[in-house]
Amino acid sequence: MTTKTNSEQSTLLVSDSPFLQEVAQQIRSYDQYGVYKSWTNELVLGPYVINKKQKRDISLEGDIDPATELRILCFYRAVASLIEKETAQLCQVIVDLNNEGFGWALVWSGRLITVCQTLRDAHRFGFDSLERLAAQGEKITQSGIEVVQRFPEVARF
């Protein structure tokens, strides 16, 4: 099954990407009422796909939408989860954003910061396609795995 996003046909299947599967799982973990239970992974991941016009239409004034904050948190929790699976080191995540949409996301293991990303314009957090979402997530995850493999003794503290 392919997804249609922003008038283009996406060729990436969620089942082909461990990162996309993990993001969908993280989102479902926050679903207290079972709304996403019958949804496909593509539908669950739909809010991550935002084209340039849609991004321009999102106002940067006011507080960040709680749903957007949750999407950002789930993205970085998916990164942390995949780093854990690959390195067998427990990872934690913190996302700190101010009301203007600036802040950072940290993923750490023990005393080792595995991922440190500056966030800006968080109101507009999203990707052009599922392919871009997967590519960015996999890139950040691989970077975190390499850091843990380079400094395993610090990650074990």
Side-chain angles (χ1 to χ4, degrees):
M1 170 187 304
T2 58
T3 60
K4 192 163 191 142
T5 57
N6 304 323
S7 73
E8 333 181 341
Q9 187 69 21
S10 175
T11 58
L12 178 68
L13 299 176
V14 173
S15 60
D16 294 339
S17 170
F19 182 77
L20 293 179
Q21 291 174 10
E22 189 62 38
V23 173
Q25 184 176 1
Q26 292 296 323
I27 292 170
R28 284 189 166 99
S29 72
Y30 284 94
D31 182 21
Q32 300 172 354
Y33 301 107
V35 173
Y36 300 138
K37 188 176 182 180
S38 63
W39 290 20
T40 64
N41 285 341
E42 288 82 3
L43 191 56
V44 170
L45 295 172
Y48 282 96
V49 179
I50 304 172
N51 66 30
K52 289 181 182 182
K53 182 187 180 324
Q54 290 170 323
K55 282 186 181 185
R56 280 192 303 268
D57 291 343
I58 297 172
S59 173
L60 295 176
E61 294 182 17
D63 291 338
I64 299 170
D65 179 36
T68 303
E69 285 188 67
L70 183 60
R71 278 197 309 275
I72 295 169
L73 180 62
C74 288
F75 177 86
Y76 286 100
R77 284 190 185 258
V79 168
S81 178
L82 292 175
I83 292 171
E84 276 184 23
K85 288 177 184 175
E86 182 67 27
T87 65
Q89 298 297 321
L90 181 65
C91 291
Q92 297 292 323
V93 176
I94 188 166
V95 175
D96 183 38
L97 296 168
N98 67 18
N99 63 342
E100 295 175 348
F102 294 93
W104 42 262
L106 292 177
V107 178
W108 76 92
S109 180
R111 293 187 182 185
L112 179 66
I113 301 293
T114 61
V115 174
C116 179
Q117 296 266 297
T118 301
L119 301 172
R120 50 174 248 191
D121 295 340
H123 296 80
R124 297 176 175 166
F125 185 80
F127 302 87
D128 293 337
S129 65
L130 288 179
E131 287 86 354
R132 296 242 177 153
L133 169 62
Q136 185 66 23
E138 290 164 4
K139 177 181 166 187
I140 294 169
T141 300
Q142 188 57 43
S143 173
I145 290 168
E146 290 169 5
V147 169
V148 173
Q149 289 172 340
R150 185 169 178 200
F151 303 104
E153 64 282 351
V154 181
R156 285 192 289 268
F157 273 110

